[in-house]
Amino acid sequence: MSQGSSHRVAQIVAPGSNPFEMAIGMELFGITRTELDVDWYDFVACSAGDGLTVREGLFTMHCPGTLDDVATADTVIAPNRPDPEAGYGDDVLEALRAAAARGARMVSFCTGAFALADAGLLDGHTVTTHWRWADQFRRRYPDIDLRPNVLFVDDGQVLTAAGSAAAIDLGLHIIRADFGASVATTVSRRLVFPAHREGGQQQFIERPVPRPGEATLAGAMEWATAHLDRPLTVAELAGRAAMSPSTFHRRFLAQTGTTPLRWLHHERIDHARALLETTALDVAEIARAAGFGTAANLRQHFRRHTGLAPTAYRAAHAVG
């Protein structure tokens, strides 16, 4: 458990919990990051009882925290299990309700969305869950706005991730919101995981293995990220990949789950984030370096994407 942090993260572990998503929460928020000069999270894993067995009896464990720790948490991660219809118990649901009522950030990984829904916390929210349980979720909660084809949804106080590895995406998104893009990138590098996959990407994408000698997108994407100050077009990127624009667009969507222009826009935003955090460049200079052209254009897109003006973002996340 981290010491001295002002932001407490409580992860509730229930009998039958999926060990993978449980471990993601512990890895992202619970491990001390000595390589970072930031006030890291104060993490506690907690449960309703003295001991529990995780999914399929893989192992038993004892959590150092109890549900009393949820009462003081700033972020609460709901429990998840492969049989969400089994329920989580009234004490767990009440702890979730009380945390939400006092304004805690509520997070779910995979089928943890069922726990938040059972607690009555998803009414009026847009959410996601693992695609395999999407139909079951819709039948059980027909009035909740479910987006079954995305990696995660940030809907303000409630943040939900799809299955398995999408929990890492949401966790890095939370770290990025709390500490900035540079810190999130450092954590993702330690995890050997992509620094940023946007929440709107598809959960499941068929990726056929390229045939020997077949052109791929990696070179064009790498070149684009090194030339974000330029007004790049799909035709130009397609040329770098030795494809026609239509073929490039189709393959890009199939391999990444998003369009070339949408990906490029997010790359520009992330580059602007990094420059705001790590340089003293003014907003106009950053706008040109990230390919937005003018400061006014950067402000418009940056605020729409992050909810903050560039200067406010710098004040909150500038390194040093």
Side-chain angles (χ1 to χ4, degrees):
M1 183 185 300
S2 303
Q3 299 296 324
S5 173
S6 59
H7 189 109
R8 165 161 280 211
V9 177
Q11 180 171 5
I12 303 176
V13 183
S17 286
N18 288 315
F20 183 71
E21 289 86 354
M22 177 184 67
I24 288 173
M26 295 175 179
E27 171 74 27
L28 286 170
F29 306 113
I31 292 179
T32 302
R33 303 288 176 184
T34 55
E35 70 274 27
L36 298 174
D37 186 22
V38 296
D39 185 21
W40 201 240
Y41 301 102
D42 176 14
F43 177 88
V44 59
C46 49
S47 63
D50 292 334
L52 56 89
T53 302
V54 302
R55 178 178 182 174
E56 298 181 26
L58 292 173
F59 56 86
T60 58
M61 63 178 292
H62 171 78
C63 292
T66 69
L67 294 182
D68 289 339
D69 291 290
V70 179
T72 59
D74 303 285
T75 295
V76 177
I77 303 175
N80 75 89
R81 56 189 301 161
D83 50 348
E85 297 283 357
Y88 294 95
D90 292 341
D91 48 357
V92 169
L93 298 183
E94 184 53 40
L96 291 171
R97 293 187 193 103
R102 60 179 174 76
R105 178 167 58 192
M106 309 302 293
V107 176
S108 72
F109 300 151
C110 195
T111 56
F114 284 80
L116 295 181
D118 283 349
L121 303 180
L122 299 186
D123 295 343
H125 286 283
T126 299
V127 303
T128 192
T129 190
H130 194 297
W131 59 269
R132 286 190 62 190
W133 282 270
D135 289 341
Q136 183 178 346
F137 189 94
R138 280 202 176 107
R139 288 193 299 270
R140 185 164 178 173
Y141 316 106
D143 296 328
I144 295 176
D145 182 13
L146 177 70
R147 304 292 172 87
N149 297 317
V150 300
L151 291 175
F152 64 84
V153 175
D154 180 342
D155 197 30
Q157 185 186 5
V158 174
L159 300 90
T160 53
S164 300
I168 304 178
D169 292 290
L170 178 55
L172 289 172
H173 171 79
I174 292 170
I175 292 170
R176 188 178 300 108
D178 291 344
F179 295 102
S182 294
V183 170
T185 298
T186 300
V187 174
S188 70
R189 189 181 301 119
R190 180 162 165 175
L191 295 175
V192 196
F193 192 82
H196 185 202
R197 294 195 300 170
E198 60 176 295
Q201 287 186 214
Q202 297 177 32
Q203 287 190 34
F204 181 76
I205 305 168
E206 292 282 1
R207 289 189 175 91
V209 177
R211 294 185 293 272
E214 185 178 44
T216 63
L217 305 177
M221 295 172 75
E222 184 177 351
W223 180 85
T225 57
H227 296 83
L228 292 173
D229 59 323
R230 299 176 51 166
L232 303 174
T233 65
V234 173
E236 190 172 11
L237 297 181
R240 289 277 167 180
M243 302 178 192
S244 69
S246 59
T247 298
F248 181 80
H249 189 281
R250 183 175 66 255
R251 290 191 182 177
F252 199 100
L253 184 61
Q255 291 185 31
T256 69
T258 190
T259 67
L261 289 180
R262 188 173 183 184
W263 171 82
L264 186 59
H265 179 74
H266 281 271
E267 290 297 308
R268 295 189 192 282
I269 291 289
D270 276 356
H271 188 46
R273 284 183 195 251
L275 293 175
L276 287 166
E277 293 174 23
T278 61
T279 75
L281 295 174
D282 63 35
V283 173
E285 291 173 310
I286 291 174
R288 291 192 293 272
F292 287 101
T294 67
N297 199 29
L298 172 61
R299 290 188 186 98
Q300 176 186 352
H301 289 286
F302 198 87
R303 184 183 288 276
R304 182 182 303 157
H305 190 85
T306 68
L308 294 172
T311 51
Y313 182 87
R314 169 174 272 166
H317 298 298
V319 176

